[in-house]
């Protein structure tokens, strides 16, 4: 089994920054890709960014140039640096890990951006 624990959410003003962390434990060798998704009230969960085990990143168009995803393999942690935050970035952010046979999800961390 794999456990993913997010941290770093909170309230920030528009234009500000936050850094989310996702710590993985358990059978982490099963995780080929890790990333972040988000879900706003009344909307479907959407991709924010992903990173492969080799370090290749992929971003949603809405966050390109503002968010940066990185990973520390020694700490089994991925980080999402979010800059120039906008009110529309307000959502619950979920850490995701893609294993050999299934996806794993954290419980989510709330990010609120005030205007």
């Amino acid at each position: 089994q794999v456990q993913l624990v997010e941290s770093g959410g909170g309230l920030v003003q528009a234009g500000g920054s936050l850094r989310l962390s996702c710590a993985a434990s358990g059978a982490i060798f099963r995780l080929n890709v890790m990333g972040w998704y988000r879900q706003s009230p009344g909307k479907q969960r959407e991709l924010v960014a992903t990173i492969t085990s080799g370090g290749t990143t992929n971003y949603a168009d809405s966050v390109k140039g503002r968010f940066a995803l990185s990973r520390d393999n020694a700490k089994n942690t991925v980080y999402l640096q979010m800059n120039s935050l906008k009110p529309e970035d307000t959502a619950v952010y979920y850490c995701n890990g893609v294993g050999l046979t299934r996806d794993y999800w954290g419980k989510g961390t709330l990010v609120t951006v005030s205007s």
Side-chain angles (χ1 to χ4, degrees):
Q1 281 293 343
V2 173
Q3 295 80 42
L4 303 175
V5 179
E6 304 102 333
S7 60
L11 173 64
V12 64
Q13 288 188 330
S17 299
L18 282 175
R19 189 176 81 156
L20 305 183
S21 300
C22 173
S25 61
I28 57 175
F29 62 89
R30 299 177 183 271
L31 300 180
N32 299 315
V33 179
M34 293 188 69
W36 291 89
Y37 288 70
R38 66 186 182 187
Q39 188 167 19
S40 304
K43 294 186 177 181
Q44 289 187 329
R45 192 172 296 188
E46 63 177 3
L47 169 73
V48 176
T50 60
I51 187 167
T52 68
S53 57
T56 300
T57 54
N58 177 56
Y59 297 94
D61 288 343
S62 59
V63 307
K64 281 182 181 177
R66 299 189 299 122
F67 291 11
L69 183 60
S70 61
R71 65 191 297 164
D72 184 333
N73 291 326
K75 295 183 178 180
N76 300 321
T77 301
V78 294
Y79 303 97
L80 183 67
Q81 178 67 42
M82 305 186 296
N83 300 323
S84 303
L85 283 162
K86 304 175 181 180
E88 51 263 43
D89 293 319
T90 295
V92 177
Y93 283 69
Y94 296 91
C95 183
N96 168 263
V98 178
L100 295 176
T101 59
R102 56 161 289 183
D103 280 21
Y104 298 89
W105 293 93
K107 293 183 178 181
T109 185
L110 177 62
V111 172
T112 303
V113 184
S114 63
S115 58

